[in-house]
Amino acid sequence: MKTEKNTTIPRATAKRLSLYYRIFKRFNAEKIEKANSKQIAEAIGIDSATVRRDFSYFGELGRRGFGYDVKKLMNFFADLLNDNAITNVMIVGVGNMGRALLHYRFHERNKMKVVMAFDIDDHPEVGNTTSDGIPIYGISQIKEKIQSGNVQTAILTVPSVKAQEVASILVQAGVKGILCFSPVNLSLPKDVVVQYVDLTSELQTLLYFMRKNEH
């Protein structure tokens, strides 16, 4: 990611942007008008120097001694994360994880909306519609359906052995961003953005730190 000054944003900073947005939304809901870097840092669980360094990539977001304007920063991060417009998302793979995500109400927390789901053509769920009105299609229909539904973002929850094959199909159909729950590294064109979510790895990391604290 780059700022308007064409400065590349570190990946660690980019991953905190949604956290900053969430905090400023919370502060705004609590009628807090100004917040300093210490308050923001404590709300996220990082140090205030990191907050100031992150914000420095975007120019003058606040003035030393005056704090940050909560509503202004909330709107700034909303624009940065494109949360002022609805983003249509699809889920590919309606196994246990996929079904859970189909019922997760993304739109109640932000402006991402799951509008369709896919699985293999002979999957028993194909042809059905969820209680929230989300249709489930066969993968053979993917190109036709995502073009008509204006979808370029996919959540991939298929078995690891199928992840690369299905991801390639998604890219061919026009997908530009994939959130992948399969613990494999996908080989895709450079203009396709991929984020990985490895729940097993995260749990193992949690257990490691728990054991470390015990000793």
Side-chain angles (χ1 to χ4, degrees):
M1 179 182 291
K2 295 186 177 181
T3 67
E4 58 188 5
K5 295 180 179 180
N6 207 36
T7 302
T8 300
I9 302 300
R11 188 174 183 83
T13 297
K15 293 181 73 171
R16 283 191 287 270
L17 298 181
S18 62
L19 297 178
Y20 290 131
Y21 180 41
R22 185 172 68 194
I23 292 304
F24 281 114
K25 283 201 297 184
R26 195 190 84 194
F27 285 167
N28 185 63
E30 294 173 354
K31 309 298 184 185
I32 298 172
E33 296 182 357
K34 295 282 186 179
N36 58 38
S37 57
K38 183 180 178 182
Q39 290 172 295
I40 298 166
E42 289 177 348
I44 294 178
I46 57 178
D47 60 87
S48 56
T50 298
V51 173
R52 292 192 295 271
R53 184 171 62 250
D54 286 348
F55 286 9
S56 71
Y57 292 109
F58 302 98
E60 294 293 329
L61 296 184
R63 292 171 57 194
R64 183 178 292 276
F66 288 86
Y68 299 96
D69 184 303
V70 167
K71 184 167 287 187
K72 178 181 176 182
L73 268 292
M74 180 184 71
N75 293 330
F76 172 81
F77 284 108
D79 288 339
L80 198 64
L81 296 167
N82 196 35
D83 201 49
N84 289 316
I86 292 176
T87 299
N88 291 334
V89 179
M90 63 181 174
I91 293 175
V92 183
V94 290
N96 292 334
M97 177 66 73
R99 284 196 299 271
L101 292 171
L102 275 173
H103 294 290
Y104 184 81
R105 296 180 178 273
F106 291 93
H107 61 280
E108 292 182 356
R109 297 164 179 83
N110 48 51
K111 295 190 176 180
M112 292 182 287
K113 182 180 180 182
V114 176
V115 295
M116 61 184 71
F118 295 87
D119 211 302
I120 56 175
D121 290 355
D122 60 355
H123 191 283
E125 294 286 350
V126 167
N128 295 333
T129 301
T130 70
S131 57
D132 289 330
I134 302 170
I136 302 172
Y137 301 114
I139 196 76
S140 63
Q141 296 179 276
I142 194 164
K143 189 169 186 176
E144 166 199 348
K145 294 298 182 182
I146 72 170
Q147 288 177 347
S148 63
N150 187 30
V151 188
Q152 292 188 316
T153 308
I155 300 175
L156 187 61
T157 61
V158 301
S160 299
V161 293
K162 290 289 184 180
Q164 180 63 57
E165 176 187 348
V166 175
S168 296
I169 293 173
L170 297 180
V171 172
Q172 291 170 12
V175 167
K176 294 297 183 182
I178 297 173
L179 181 65
C180 181
F181 278 82
S182 301
V184 293
N185 287 319
L186 302 174
S187 178
L188 299 173
K190 290 183 178 180
D191 64 338
V192 177
V193 180
V194 183
Q195 280 284 111
Y196 296 95
V197 180
D198 188 341
L199 295 179
T200 300
S201 177
E202 293 295 333
L203 181 57
Q204 287 175 330
T205 302
L206 170 67
L207 295 175
Y208 166 77
F209 283 112
M210 287 173 62
R211 289 193 296 271
K212 188 175 179 182
N213 285 342
E214 289 175 356
H215 296 293

